[in-house]
Amino acid sequence: MGLKSNLVLVRHGQSEWNEKNLFTGWRDPGLTQKGIEEAHKAGILLRDKGLVFDLMFTSELERAQLTGQIMLDEMGCSNLQTTIDQKLNERAYGDLTGMNKDEARSKFGAEQIHIWLS
């Protein structure tokens, strides 16, 4: 019988721009207090499930790296080998970056936003 492996995918905790409902993309606002708490909670949940990681992969964005590090700290594996790769960054939103999502839908129409983001 082979070894059981798990792939765990986690989105970063709430960022300052998530809180403001802004298109973020490759901009790198910090985590809010809620985002930090979400990262701690995710790490505790993973630890309590008994999961053990061999590696962590993260984007170049600080919000993702900090979320991952907080989770690893909670799991007791702070020094885990981590690979940082730009290919894991959130999509770039071009001119929508920094724009409020609701205002963008009002200005351009929800259907057009959906087309651009598909």
Side-chain angles (χ1 to χ4, degrees):
M1 186 175 255
L3 294 174
K4 182 178 176 186
S5 297
N6 294 295
L7 173 65
V8 178
L9 302 174
V10 179
R11 185 178 187 271
H12 63 79
Q14 182 189 62
S15 75
E16 294 162 354
W17 280 25
N18 294 142
E19 183 178 48
K20 295 176 182 175
N21 199 33
L22 304 178
F23 285 102
T24 307
W26 283 29
R27 294 282 178 89
D28 206 7
L31 295 177
T32 62
Q33 187 59 43
K34 178 181 178 182
I36 292 168
E37 291 168 7
E38 289 170 337
H40 282 286
K41 184 177 180 181
I44 291 166
L45 289 169
L46 292 168
R47 180 194 68 211
D48 290 350
K49 289 207 173 282
L51 292 174
V52 178
F53 294 153
D54 296 317
L55 301 165
M56 181 173 83
F57 294 89
T58 185
S59 74
E60 288 186 330
L61 301 171
E62 290 290 327
R63 64 184 180 264
Q65 293 176 34
L66 180 56
T67 298
Q69 190 58 55
I70 291 169
M71 291 170 51
L72 293 179
D73 292 346
E74 288 291 353
M75 296 176 72
C77 53
S78 300
N79 296 321
L80 191 70
Q81 179 184 342
T82 300
T83 299
I84 298 170
D85 194 320
Q86 184 183 49
K87 293 175 188 139
L88 295 171
N89 283 13
E90 185 172 338
R91 78 168 74 194
Y93 287 108
D95 289 342
L96 292 174
T97 301
M99 189 177 257
N100 180 282
K101 293 176 182 181
D102 294 330
E103 291 173 11
R105 284 186 202 94
S106 293
K107 182 175 181 177
F108 302 112
E111 186 175 334
Q112 183 61 56
I113 297 293
H114 179 73
I115 291 168
W116 286 337
L117 301 180
S118 295

